[in-house]
Amino acid sequence: MRKPNLSNIKQASTEKSKVLAPAKDLATLEAELAEQENSLEGNLEDTVLRLSDYLSAVDMVIKQTFNHRVWVKAEIRNLSSKGGHYYFELAEKDDDGKVIASCRGNLWRFKAARVLAKFERATGMPLDRDLTVLLKVSAGFHAQYGFSLTIEDIDPSYTLGDLARQYAEMVDRLAGEGLLHLNQQLPIPFDIEHVLVIAPEKAAGLGDFQADADRLASTGACHFHYHNATFQGNHAPAEIRQAIISAQQQFEATYQRLPDLLVIIRGGGAVGDLAYLNDYELAALVAEQPIPVWVGIGHERDKVILDEVAHTSFDTPSKVIAAIMAHLAQLVTQTLQYQAQIKQASQRQLNSAEQQTARQLSQIQSQTIGQLTALQKDSAYAWRSIQQSTQRQVKQAARQTSELRTQIQAFAYQQFTVAANGCEKNKKAIMQSAQQQVIQAQRDSAHLRDIVLLHRPSHVLKQGYSMLTDEQDKQILTSSHQLHPQQTVHIVLKDGKAKAQIIDVNINEKTIASADVST
């Protein structure tokens, strides 16, 4: 195997690199590389190289051709750190989100602290995956580890601009789909009785909110239902969406209706943490809620997309609970005003009714006096007529009564004679039947007496039977349901009794329960 003469390649590359300028565009670089390739192709076409030699040549070409630093726009697909060094996976995507270019990038320890601190100061957020950044890089190639970019600096202003662009695109999309002001069109509930609260667990903002909410809930005026979710990190939007959905489902399952208000709150924190809340799916879910959504994110200057789609937006969680309290206070004030108005209207109507009643009473009294005078005259005439008619009817009734009395007396004497004869016959029949029933009762009593004597306990015990009683001999035990394990009972025999302790009880009639018996 003939080893190639790499000095010629190095010399040719050096000569070419002298004419390359950092400001040349990609087309110029491709043309010059193509020219170098054509000049070297004849020399290397028949040469067999070792892999290390070939990669060394590639390294040499890359170093001498791309020995200047350039600004490159890329998306961070992954980011890791080890020993103070940061390792990037960079990519470029087309309009459909398909990766069309990717490579590794390295930010070495001696520059990482300065570059990352500058980025965080300017953006208010840490460098993380899924961010589009503008990197100042130089190309590098290693025979063992391959191609990578060495990151010299990061322009934070580009990332801020990209985030602003994404935010504007999200707002335009929500507006185009009719979601941006959808929740704001819902009316404010007349009475806020049940409130769903979505907040980070054990957050300071939640504590401030809950302190006032607990005082309000203690009065019974409002009830708060808390659900927790993470509000920062890439998984925050999904957790918040899940919390909203599960909270609604649990409330409807319990109360068979929708809550009056949905509150999403988060206390103050790093400005960069707000970027995690700028999620389209989360914003669309909030916009489509069938109840008003009040948002209280702890920030003063910047807005998140939830502020855009919510029914009402507040700067802090404390202002949200203050608004709820103010709404209820206004409701109470309005109710008291209505009560006063109703009372005044009722009093006016009552006074008017009293005056009208007094007038009507006066009219009725006047009419009644006239009618009463006429009635008195008519009554006197009617009374005299009634007296005359009554006297005639009384005389006629006296004559008829005397005649009926004579007839009734005669008929009664006849009926009495017939009844006396019938009673005597019935008396004899009853006496005979009673004597027969007494004789039969005597026989039955004698028979029952014999049966009772045969079944008396002493007689039954003499025949080999026994009787169970409780430990105090106060109750006779006749059913297995009265027994239980470890129970002490008495077994009564014809000539004494024995004490026993129940070991097991089986309700099944086919199984005999065992017992420990001691006399």
Side-chain angles (χ1 to χ4, degrees):
M1 180 183 295
R2 181 169 60 88
K3 186 175 181 181
N5 187 1
L6 296 180
S7 60
N8 295 332
I9 300 176
K10 182 176 181 181
Q11 182 178 359
S13 300
T14 303
E15 294 175 355
K16 293 294 182 180
S17 62
K18 293 179 180 179
V19 298
L20 292 177
K24 292 182 179 179
D25 57 13
L26 183 60
T28 304
L29 293 175
E30 288 179 349
E32 293 181 352
L33 288 175
E35 182 180 352
Q36 292 181 18
E37 183 179 355
N38 293 332
S39 63
L40 295 175
E41 184 177 356
N43 297 329
L44 298 177
E45 186 174 6
D46 298 328
T47 303
V48 177
L49 301 175
R50 290 183 303 178
L51 179 61
S52 60
D53 292 334
Y54 183 74
L55 294 179
S56 296
V58 172
D59 179 33
M60 179 179 59
V61 172
I62 290 177
K63 285 182 178 179
Q64 295 187 6
T65 305
F66 298 96
N67 62 347
H68 50 282
R69 298 178 180 86
V70 296
W71 289 98
V72 174
K73 180 182 72 173
E75 178 183 324
I76 302 176
R77 298 187 64 189
N78 200 1
L79 178 62
S80 60
S81 175
K82 184 178 180 181
H85 304 296
Y86 287 81
Y87 303 95
F88 295 71
E89 288 185 17
L90 304 173
E92 179 186 352
K93 297 179 181 178
D94 58 13
D95 295 337
D96 297 328
K98 182 180 179 181
V99 177
I100 58 176
S102 63
C103 72
R104 294 181 296 108
N106 305 313
L107 178 58
W108 303 121
R109 179 173 53 194
F110 60 90
K111 290 186 178 180
R114 176 183 58 81
V115 172
L116 296 180
K118 183 182 72 171
F119 184 87
E120 292 186 14
R121 283 196 306 271
T123 62
M125 61 186 297
L127 192 66
D128 203 351
R129 56 182 301 176
D130 298 328
L131 288 178
T132 301
V133 292
L134 185 64
L135 308 171
K136 189 175 186 179
V137 300
S138 59
F141 183 84
H142 192 277
Q144 185 175 357
Y145 302 109
F147 181 79
S148 64
L149 297 177
T150 299
I151 300 173
E152 306 290 342
D153 197 3
I154 302 175
D155 186 358
S157 60
Y158 179 85
T159 303
L160 288 174
D162 185 69
L163 292 175
R165 177 188 57 79
Q166 294 178 10
Y167 186 89
E169 290 177 353
M170 198 178 304
V171 171
D172 291 342
R173 180 180 177 184
L174 291 168
E177 295 175 356
L179 299 177
L180 189 62
H181 303 294
L182 181 62
N183 195 259
Q184 299 170 9
Q185 297 173 5
L186 297 175
I188 298 178
F190 175 75
D191 182 20
I192 302 177
E193 182 181 2
H194 292 280
V195 179
L196 294 183
V197 181
I198 310 297
E201 186 176 7
K202 297 180 181 179
L206 176 61
D208 296 339
F209 179 93
Q210 201 165 5
D212 292 333
D214 290 344
R215 288 194 293 271
L216 183 60
S218 63
T219 65
C222 190
H223 304 281
F224 297 87
H225 310 270
Y226 296 93
H227 297 266
N228 300 123
T230 300
F231 272 60
Q232 63 185 54
N234 294 324
H235 54 286
E239 284 197 21
I240 298 174
R241 292 198 305 271
Q242 182 59 39
I244 293 174
I245 295 172
S246 61
Q248 292 271 30
Q249 293 174 345
Q250 293 179 20
F251 186 88
E252 290 190 50
T254 303
Y255 296 94
Q256 306 302 318
R257 72 176 185 89
L258 292 173
D260 302 300
L261 196 65
L262 173 62
V263 170
I264 303 175
I265 56 175
R266 197 207 83 162
V271 178
D273 294 340
L274 302 177
Y276 297 113
L277 303 180
N278 292 327
D279 180 79
Y280 170 78
E281 298 296 336
L282 175 59
L285 178 63
V286 170
E288 293 172 344
Q289 289 302 300
I291 58 175
V293 180
W294 287 8
V295 173
I297 306 297
H299 58 91
E300 298 178 355
R301 296 177 302 170
D302 300 322
K303 278 190 174 183
V304 296
I305 196 65
L306 297 184
D307 295 317
E308 303 284 353
V309 299
H311 182 277
T312 309
S313 174
F314 301 88
D315 293 340
T316 62
S318 298
K319 291 184 179 180
V320 178
I321 187 62
I324 295 175
M325 297 172 67
H327 178 83
L328 295 177
Q330 181 182 2
L331 179 62
V332 172
T333 302
Q334 188 176 6
T335 303
L336 293 176
Q337 292 175 353
Y338 289 155
Q339 181 182 4
Q341 293 174 2
I342 292 171
K343 185 176 181 180
Q344 293 174 359
S346 300
Q347 188 63 42
R348 288 194 298 269
Q349 292 180 357
L350 183 60
N351 295 336
S352 175
E354 287 179 350
Q355 295 174 359
Q356 185 176 2
T357 302
R359 290 193 299 269
Q360 292 177 351
L361 180 60
S362 177
Q363 295 174 0
I364 291 172
Q365 286 176 344
S366 301
Q367 295 174 359
T368 302
I369 292 173
Q371 293 176 356
L372 184 60
T373 303
L375 288 173
Q376 286 177 346
K377 295 179 181 179
D378 294 340
S379 297
Y381 175 77
W383 176 249
R384 289 193 296 270
S385 298
I386 291 171
Q387 282 181 335
Q388 296 173 0
S389 177
T390 302
Q391 290 175 356
R392 290 193 299 269
Q393 292 178 359
V394 167
K395 292 178 179 179
Q396 184 179 358
R399 290 193 299 268
Q400 293 177 351
T401 302
S402 178
E403 294 174 356
L404 288 173
R405 182 178 62 188
T406 303
Q407 295 176 1
I408 290 171
Q409 286 178 346
F411 181 76
Y413 287 143
Q414 295 175 0
Q415 293 294 326
F416 181 74
T417 303
V418 174
N421 296 332
C423 288
E424 186 66 26
K425 292 179 181 179
N426 289 335
K427 178 181 179 182
K428 293 179 181 179
I430 290 170
M431 290 296 292
Q432 292 176 358
S433 177
Q435 290 175 356
Q436 292 176 358
Q437 291 179 359
V438 169
I439 294 170
Q440 183 63 37
Q442 290 175 347
R443 293 174 182 173
D444 293 341
S445 298
H447 179 68
L448 291 173
R449 181 194 62 194
D450 295 339
I451 292 175
V452 170
L453 291 174
L454 287 174
H455 288 84
R456 69 183 183 273
S458 60
H459 184 76
V460 174
L461 294 176
K462 288 179 180 180
Q463 293 179 357
Y465 294 99
S466 61
M467 180 172 61
L468 287 180
T469 66
D470 60 5
E471 188 175 3
Q472 290 78 23
D473 290 334
K474 293 183 179 180
Q475 183 182 9
I476 297 175
L477 307 176
T478 60
S479 171
S480 59
H481 293 285
Q482 295 176 280
L483 302 177
H484 57 81
Q486 306 303 324
Q487 179 183 7
T488 302
V489 298
H490 287 159
I491 304 175
V492 181
L493 304 172
K494 69 177 183 177
D495 54 354
K497 63 179 181 180
K499 181 184 289 185
Q501 187 177 30
I502 302 302
I503 297 176
D504 188 19
V505 177
N506 196 329
I507 305 303
N508 189 351
E509 294 180 356
K510 296 180 180 181
T511 305
I512 300 176
S514 59
D516 182 14
V517 181
S518 61
T519 61

